[in-house]
Amino acid sequence: MQIKAFDPQQLKTAAQAQFPDYEIDIQESDVFLKGKQAGRYRADWLDHEFYISTEYAYEDRLVNGNPTRYKIAMPCILLKKDRYEIVYDISDRYYAAYEENGTIQFLPYQKMLETLIKQIELLEELTPV
């Protein structure tokens, strides 16, 4: 399982194949790892080390040559009956996208967070500043 950015058209095509009766609304959500302490971590679902602070996952990126820490965004989809539907309870209609064996797959968002949290390994504990 790998979390990565997908081409929006590929993501929509894969989602439409799995959920043909719904309109697909592509979104992003932060990786929130509830209960995890601040530190440097490693996980199979990401190809580089990452950090947790305030229970959110962060990664380092270079911006104009400067190291910058960003929240890790996970591609998600919201299923709607039509594109104008307002969804108040997303618990059974919000899915996280991931890649496994070269194909895009979907898992309910809450279940995805529970899966991700089980697969992380603490490399170094950090004290929040």
Side-chain angles (χ1 to χ4, degrees):
M1 172 188 311
Q2 282 282 86
I3 293 178
K4 61 183 244 176
F6 296 106
D7 173 67
Q9 189 55 45
Q10 285 182 319
L11 186 60
K12 191 163 192 153
T13 301
Q16 208 64 68
Q18 187 166 342
F19 305 103
D21 297 333
Y22 289 95
E23 178 73 27
I24 307 299
D25 186 9
I26 298 175
Q27 302 183 358
E28 284 188 344
S29 290
D30 298 328
V31 176
F32 182 73
L33 302 170
K34 187 174 180 163
K36 286 300 176 183
Q37 64 191 32
R40 186 169 54 92
Y41 289 84
R42 176 179 53 215
D44 292 337
W45 44 266
L46 202 58
D47 61 359
H48 53 276
E49 293 178 357
F50 64 97
Y51 300 87
I52 294 178
S53 178
T54 62
E55 298 181 341
Y56 285 96
Y58 293 86
E59 63 187 346
D60 288 332
R61 297 184 196 165
L62 278 179
V63 178
N64 296 327
N66 298 311
T68 307
R69 197 156 284 169
Y70 280 90
K71 283 184 186 177
I72 297 174
M74 182 169 36
C76 294
I77 59 168
L78 176 61
L79 306 178
K80 296 180 169 186
K81 293 177 184 167
D82 61 61
R83 72 184 208 185
Y84 300 109
E85 179 188 21
I86 297 171
V87 182
Y88 294 103
D89 180 9
I90 64 170
S91 59
D92 63 339
R93 292 204 208 174
Y94 198 61
Y95 289 80
Y98 64 97
E99 183 179 71
E100 190 154 34
N101 301 324
T103 58
I104 299 173
Q105 299 184 27
F106 302 93
L107 196 61
Y109 178 70
Q110 194 58 44
K111 186 168 178 138
M112 174 63 103
L113 292 178
E114 293 167 7
T115 301
L116 296 180
I117 207 165
K118 293 176 186 175
Q119 298 176 3
I120 65 174
E121 175 187 348
L122 177 66
L123 300 174
E124 175 185 7
E125 190 174 329
L126 299 174
T127 307
V129 182

